[in-house]
Amino acid sequence: MRVTDLQVDGFGVWKGLTVESLSDDITIFHGQNEAGKTTLMQFVRTMLFGFSEARRDKYTPPVYGGLAGGSMDVMSPRGSFEIQRHMDPGRLLDAEGDLALTDTNTGTVHGRAQLSDLMSDIDESIFNNVFAIGLREIQELGALNSTDAAEHLYKLTSGLDRVSLIDVMNDLRARRDNIYAKDPADESRLAELTRKRNELMREIDELKTKGKRWSRIAAQTNDVSSQLEELNSQLKELERESRLVEIATQISKRWVNRRTLTDQINSFGKLPERRDIDVEKLDDLNERVTQQRERIKQVRDQRKAVKKEAMDLPINRRLWRERATVEAITAHQPWVESLERTASRLQNEIDGIENSLVGEVDGLGMQLKIRAKDVHDLGNRGLSSLKSVAKKLLDQQERLKRIKQEGEKAGLELGQNEERLSGSLTDTSTMGSMEDISRHVNRLRRRIEL
């Protein structure tokens, strides 16, 4: 098999690299350090054997982005093929990736088995040691001593069908140790299988015991199932009967009410036609009746609350029994206040008249500059001039006398009324009844008018 073309979509530092028409004899890739030569070799290994863990860690994801992978055209005695391999984004840890082997002549797409057959079942270890020696293998060779170097060279150059015998022996030794280890402490496949065999034998014994128990339990289960079916049928019958009883219990009261209503309807005699009944008006009346009932209920609740509050209040029971008398006196309170204001006004008028009279007498004496003994010396003309003044003085004196009498009388009546009012408030027993109170009130009104 010979590589003819390379197409790197994304791998390490390479992106979109195309190498076409490789020589049939030899092709040399050269460049400075870190130019990407080893990366290109690792890309070829990846196309043939997949994304190993070391290559995934070092070369993916690509430095410049994109999907890791690419394609490679090869020629073989069976024809020309195109190997395409990309890393599956949904399975990043899958070493095989997304592989497609396409026959360029027929367009047939093959899989991994065809690729292995195309490479004559050469694995990656043989390919790396024989056909794709890199700088890492050369550096390891320089670090070995003479014996190790000879062995390493022997590995590279000898072996049956280009397979290193040392690798074969090491592989056989590793597989032998994997199957059977001399040291019991080391894990081996044979020891693991022996342990699993013993566990399975114990499990078989347990299952045999459980099988016997299962047969007994199965027989018991059949018996229980038959009994359960019988009980289920009985339960359904009992449930039906209980449901009938429950329904009868629920509708018994309604059935009795129906009979009562039927009797009442029959007692009404002939009822009006249904079309003559105003259903909307009836609904309105029912709604109003419901509202009135709610209001009545609210008023009852309020009445109970007020009654409870009234019973909780501290009340003078003796005063509460005379509440009618107190209310009557309270109703005539404006008249009593008016009487007090009238008496006060009359007293103020009396004081004013007395003061004006004293002032007039004093002023008259000062103006006349006479004494009582000199009055007879006044002539008839002078006396006649004083008649009008004397007459006015006598009128004022009479008026003052009447006002004093009215004031004394009003003060006396006011005192009596105050005594009666105070007596009525302190001892309600003196007022015999509402008729006496009304009589006193009428007398007070007449006195106020006078």
Side-chain angles (χ1 to χ4, degrees):
M1 184 181 71
R2 181 173 60 84
V3 179
T4 59
D5 298 291
L6 296 175
Q7 176 66 39
V8 184
D9 295 336
F11 194 82
V13 297
W14 294 114
K15 180 180 180 182
L17 174 65
T18 301
V19 181
E20 299 178 349
S21 302
L22 295 177
S23 174
D24 295 341
D25 297 329
I26 188 171
T27 301
I28 299 175
F29 295 93
H30 63 89
Q32 298 179 358
N33 292 336
E34 303 297 331
K37 303 183 295 297
T38 305
T39 303
L40 192 60
M41 184 183 66
Q42 293 293 340
F43 171 76
V44 174
R45 292 179 179 178
T46 301
M47 289 296 101
L48 296 176
F49 303 103
F51 296 89
S52 64
E53 183 177 359
R55 286 192 287 269
R56 284 201 309 268
D57 295 340
K58 188 173 182 179
Y59 300 104
T60 62
V63 177
Y64 299 104
L67 185 62
S71 62
M72 184 173 65
D73 294 341
V74 298
M75 290 290 295
S76 69
R78 301 180 184 181
S80 60
F81 296 89
E82 181 185 11
I83 302 173
Q84 293 182 353
R85 193 189 295 266
H86 294 85
M87 179 176 287
D88 190 352
R91 295 176 300 160
L92 297 178
L93 299 179
D94 186 9
E96 182 178 353
D98 189 3
L99 173 64
L101 179 64
T102 306
D103 190 340
T104 57
N105 295 324
T106 63
T108 306
V109 179
H110 304 280
R112 180 178 180 182
Q114 186 67 21
L115 178 60
S116 178
D117 186 48
L118 188 65
M119 296 182 62
S120 300
D121 294 329
I122 294 175
D123 59 7
E124 185 176 1
S125 176
I126 297 174
F127 181 81
N128 293 340
N129 292 328
V130 177
F131 301 102
I133 301 174
L135 181 61
R136 177 171 174 271
E137 287 78 11
I138 297 174
Q139 289 175 348
E140 288 179 354
L141 181 62
L144 298 175
N145 53 27
S146 59
T147 305
D148 294 336
E151 182 181 353
H152 194 66
L153 291 174
Y154 182 77
K155 286 172 58 180
L156 295 176
T157 57
S158 66
L160 183 61
D161 193 16
R162 296 170 295 176
V163 178
S164 174
L165 295 178
I166 295 178
D167 288 340
V168 172
M169 293 177 65
N170 292 335
D171 185 60
L172 290 175
R173 188 181 300 109
R175 292 188 180 186
R176 183 195 63 190
D177 293 339
N178 186 29
I179 294 173
Y180 176 74
K182 295 181 180 180
D183 189 359
D186 296 336
E187 290 291 334
S188 63
R189 184 65 177 168
L190 184 60
E192 182 180 358
L193 292 175
T194 303
R195 184 174 64 256
K196 286 186 177 180
R197 177 183 177 278
N198 295 331
E199 292 177 357
L200 291 174
M201 292 299 293
R202 287 194 299 270
E203 186 176 356
I204 289 171
D205 294 337
E206 292 177 358
L207 291 176
K208 287 180 179 179
T209 305
K210 291 180 179 179
K212 295 179 181 179
R213 292 179 58 192
W214 180 85
S215 60
R216 292 195 302 271
I217 293 172
Q220 294 176 0
T221 302
N222 294 329
D223 296 338
V224 171
S225 297
S226 60
Q227 295 177 5
L228 184 61
E229 290 178 357
E230 294 177 0
L231 293 175
N232 285 332
S233 60
Q234 295 177 4
L235 180 61
K236 290 180 180 179
E237 185 66 22
L238 292 174
E239 286 179 352
R240 189 179 66 82
E241 293 178 359
S242 65
R243 182 60 180 167
L244 291 175
V245 172
E246 183 180 358
I247 294 173
T249 305
Q250 292 177 355
I251 66 174
S252 60
K253 187 176 181 180
R254 296 183 181 179
W255 189 262
V256 173
N257 292 335
R258 177 183 176 278
R259 291 182 178 178
T260 305
L261 292 174
T262 302
D263 297 338
Q264 291 179 0
I265 292 171
N266 295 330
S267 64
F268 290 153
K270 185 178 180 180
L271 297 175
E273 295 294 333
R274 187 172 182 179
R275 61 176 177 271
D276 297 336
I277 299 174
D278 191 354
V279 180
E280 295 181 356
K281 185 176 181 181
L282 182 60
D283 293 338
D284 187 18
L285 292 174
N286 290 330
E287 185 177 359
R288 291 173 61 185
V289 168
T290 304
Q291 293 177 357
Q292 292 297 331
R293 287 177 179 175
E294 292 178 355
R295 292 182 60 186
I296 290 171
K297 184 179 179 182
Q298 292 177 359
V299 171
R300 286 178 179 175
D301 295 339
Q302 292 177 359
R303 179 176 175 273
K304 290 180 180 179
V306 172
K307 184 176 180 181
K308 184 178 179 181
E309 292 179 359
M311 294 303 293
D312 294 339
L313 291 175
I315 299 175
N316 189 344
R317 297 299 174 183
R318 183 178 178 185
L319 183 61
W320 177 254
R321 287 193 299 270
E322 301 298 336
R323 61 184 180 278
T325 305
V326 175
E327 291 176 355
I329 295 173
T330 304
H332 294 87
Q333 183 177 1
W335 297 336
V336 177
E337 293 177 353
S338 176
L339 182 61
E340 291 178 351
R341 288 195 297 271
T342 303
S344 178
R345 181 174 56 78
L346 293 175
Q347 185 64 39
N348 292 333
E349 290 181 359
I350 292 171
D351 295 338
I353 292 171
E354 288 180 352
N355 293 332
S356 62
L357 181 60
V358 172
E360 290 179 359
V361 172
D362 294 338
L364 181 61
M366 292 177 65
Q367 290 177 2
L368 296 176
K369 296 181 180 181
I370 58 175
R371 295 190 298 263
K373 65 183 183 65
D374 298 329
V375 174
H376 63 278
D377 295 334
L378 295 173
N380 293 330
R381 186 177 180 180
L383 292 174
S384 60
S385 61
L386 294 175
K387 281 183 180 181
S388 59
V389 178
K391 188 176 179 180
K392 292 180 180 180
L393 181 60
L394 291 174
D395 294 336
Q396 292 294 334
Q397 288 178 351
E398 289 295 333
R399 184 183 176 187
L400 177 61
K401 186 176 179 181
R402 288 197 305 272
I403 290 171
K404 286 182 177 181
Q405 290 176 357
E406 290 176 358
E408 291 176 358
K409 187 176 180 181
L412 180 61
E413 290 178 353
L414 179 61
Q416 292 176 356
N417 291 330
E418 288 179 352
E419 291 177 358
R420 290 174 182 175
L421 289 175
S422 61
S424 298
L425 294 174
T426 55
D427 188 8
T428 55
S429 62
T430 57
M431 297 294 182
S433 63
M434 286 299 296
E435 295 179 357
D436 296 337
I437 295 172
S438 299
R439 186 169 58 254
H440 284 292
V441 170
N442 292 331
R443 290 178 62 188
L444 287 174
R445 287 179 179 176
R446 288 197 300 271
R447 288 177 182 176
I448 289 170
E449 292 175 357
L450 293 174

